[in-house]
Amino acid sequence: MLMPHPAVLRRLLDEYEAAAAERPADGAAEPSPRMRDLAYTLCVSTGTREVGLALEAARRRLATVPVAEPVAD
């Protein structure tokens, strides 16, 4: 299976988590279209069918990738 570039995966994960943080705590509201799109893309990117599994897979993948050091000017 092809895996997305770690930077892309990190961005997807960050955006999903930010969107999830904006949802009401009771979870009664439907997810926004953006949140559904992010969930779908995470699932496709990680080869899973459930967003919870996709989040776990993305976190595992990112944990194995070294963090790039910023380039000094």
Side-chain angles (χ1 to χ4, degrees):
M1 175 179 74
L2 293 175
M3 287 297 292
H5 189 278
V8 172
L9 196 56
R10 167 56 56 202
R11 183 182 51 79
L12 287 169
L13 186 59
D14 289 347
E15 286 186 38
Y16 183 87
E17 289 172 341
E22 294 175 4
R23 289 189 69 198
D26 63 6
E30 288 290 317
S32 69
R34 179 65 181 146
M35 193 167 178
R36 286 193 303 267
D37 288 346
L38 288 164
Y40 173 81
T41 305
L42 277 165
C43 286
V44 170
S45 298
T46 58
T48 61
R49 293 179 182 252
E50 296 177 23
V51 71
L53 296 174
L55 294 170
E56 289 175 23
R59 289 180 185 122
R60 275 194 315 271
R61 168 79 171 118
L62 291 171
T64 66
V65 177
V67 176
E69 294 291 325
V71 177
D73 291 330

